[in-house]
Amino acid sequence: MTRPEADDDRGNHLDARARGHARVYGAGQNMSIDRSRHSADSGYRFGTGNSFGPHNNFGRQHIGEQHIGDRYEVDLNPVSALFTGRGPGRVLMVLGLCVSAFCFAGWMSIVFGGMSGDVDSPRDALGTRLGSGIPVGAVYFLGFGFGGMLLGIGNSMAKAAVKGGSRTGHLIATVIVCAGGLLCVVYALGGSPPSTLVPFSGTPGVDVPAVVSDTRTSAKRGGLTLTVTRIENVDGHGVVHLHVRNNTGHTVSLPLQSFVVTDGDGHAYRPRLFGGGWNAESGASARQSGTIDLQEPVAGGTGDLQAGFTMAFGESAPNGIAVTGIPSRE
């Protein structure tokens, strides 16, 4: 390879400009080419100069902060653990994908509804308001993020299970996360039927007349008189006009949460907890009128309606009161 400067068998300095000669070095011997130092038994080290050309070295090499020989695998695929992982983490991954897809479809139903003119006012731009007062569009938006979080947690758990993670711990974590998500959904619904969350369930084509009923219909029970004066659909939701007369001699409370309207097909319409103009408290020998907003429009042509309160509170209050036989328009 190069010509040695000296003929000594242990000489180790070579003239880098020499050509046409080679020398074999044994274990423990060093050789230097210019300012590059090479050790026969421990690889090579670089000094202040530069070394050019190929270097064959077996084992691990350390060059500055770079390690050669150690292999690291980085998996950036967010769903690979669904097929290569183990344990209940994969259940969370599947659930997360389903939740995200469902909420994305729901959000698209709101977007397409607005494009088609199905939104009657800015108030309903995010879709029907649930019993908690939260618009369904906000539930879709938060649910999409929650689905992504489930996917990430499940991905980590499935990978950890392959390396011997605790399956019992993973199972407990899965139950806790799923139960927390279910409680959030129940709170958001606030008494609304789960079908309210179904995407495209509020698409045009359902008969929702502006005035469902304008016939005054009353019911009496335990000194309390409840009258439904009008039921109509305004801004994409139902509105019930009520009049109450309290002859019990004590204050009676008719809570908004217990109000329900049922149509001839048996479909129940629940109230919005925010909005409307209803005062639950009615004093002794008092009369008052108010309105209750429903979560969705009331369909017409289903037959007679029923509206009332399933609960009433007060010293002389009845258990509840309902007005039946309310005629509806076709």
Side-chain angles (χ1 to χ4, degrees), residues 180-269:
L182 182 61
L183 289 176
C184 290
V185 172
V186 172
Y187 172 78
L189 285 172
S192 300
S195 58
T196 311
L197 294 177
V198 177
F200 298 99
S201 61
T203 52
V206 179
D207 182 16
V208 284
V211 178
V212 180
S213 177
D214 57 359
T215 303
R216 293 175 62 94
T217 311
S218 302
K220 296 181 180 181
R221 187 175 184 185
L224 196 65
T225 302
L226 177 65
T227 303
V228 176
T229 60
R230 184 182 179 90
I231 299 177
E232 59 185 345
N233 292 318
V234 178
D235 292 338
H237 65 275
V239 178
V240 182
H241 298 257
L242 300 172
H243 180 79
V244 176
R245 182 175 179 178
N246 180 11
N247 292 323
T248 64
H250 299 88
T251 299
V252 174
S253 176
L254 297 173
L256 177 63
Q257 295 86 342
S258 68
F259 184 77
V260 62
V261 174
T262 306
D263 62 19
D265 292 335
H267 181 72
Y269 302 85

Side-chain angles (χ1 to χ4, degrees), residues 72-330:
Y72 301 94
E73 294 185 359
V74 179
D75 185 7
L76 300 179
N77 190 333
V79 295
S80 63
L82 183 62
F83 307 98
T84 61
R86 295 179 181 176
R90 293 185 294 176
V91 176
L92 281 183
M93 294 184 68
V94 173
L95 183 61
L97 289 172
C98 293
V99 170
S100 294
F102 180 87
C103 292
F104 179 78
W107 186 258
M108 288 298 99
S109 70
I110 294 177
V111 172
F112 292 143
M115 294 173 60
S116 63
D118 190 35
V119 178
D120 297 323
S121 69
R123 181 182 181 183
D124 298 314
L126 290 179
T128 303
R129 289 183 178 270
L130 302 173
S132 61
I134 302 175
V136 69
V139 175
Y140 291 147
F141 182 81
L142 296 175
F144 184 83
F146 180 71
M149 184 183 72
L150 289 179
L151 178 62
I153 294 175
N155 185 48
S156 299
M157 289 172 55
K159 289 180 178 179
V162 175
K163 300 179 181 179
S166 173
R167 288 196 174 186
T168 302
H170 292 175
L171 181 61
I172 294 175
T174 300
V175 173
I176 292 176
V177 172
C178 293
L182 182 61
L183 289 176
C184 290
V185 172
V186 172
Y187 172 78
L189 285 172
S192 300
S195 58
T196 311
L197 294 177
V198 177
F200 298 99
S201 61
T203 52
V206 179
D207 182 16
V208 284
V211 178
V212 180
S213 177
D214 57 359
T215 303
R216 293 175 62 94
T217 311
S218 302
K220 296 181 180 181
R221 187 175 184 185
L224 196 65
T225 302
L226 177 65
T227 303
V228 176
T229 60
R230 184 182 179 90
I231 299 177
E232 59 185 345
N233 292 318
V234 178
D235 292 338
H237 65 275
V239 178
V240 182
H241 298 257
L242 300 172
H243 180 79
V244 176
R245 182 175 179 178
N246 180 11
N247 292 323
T248 64
H250 299 88
T251 299
V252 174
S253 176
L254 297 173
L256 177 63
Q257 295 86 342
S258 68
F259 184 77
V260 62
V261 174
T262 306
D263 62 19
D265 292 335
H267 181 72
Y269 302 85
R270 300 291 179 177
R272 292 182 174 181
L273 299 185
F274 302 96
W278 179 249
N279 181 14
E281 302 294 329
S282 180
S285 302
R287 300 182 181 184
Q288 69 173 22
S289 298
T291 59
I292 295 179
D293 288 355
L294 303 177
Q295 299 170 12
E296 54 186 316
V298 180
T302 62
D304 291 346
L305 306 173
Q306 175 179 310
F309 297 86
T310 58
M311 296 184 296
F313 300 98
E315 184 174 343
S316 303
N319 293 331
I321 185 171
V323 180
T324 60
I326 304 171
S328 65
R329 293 187 178 182
E330 294 293 332

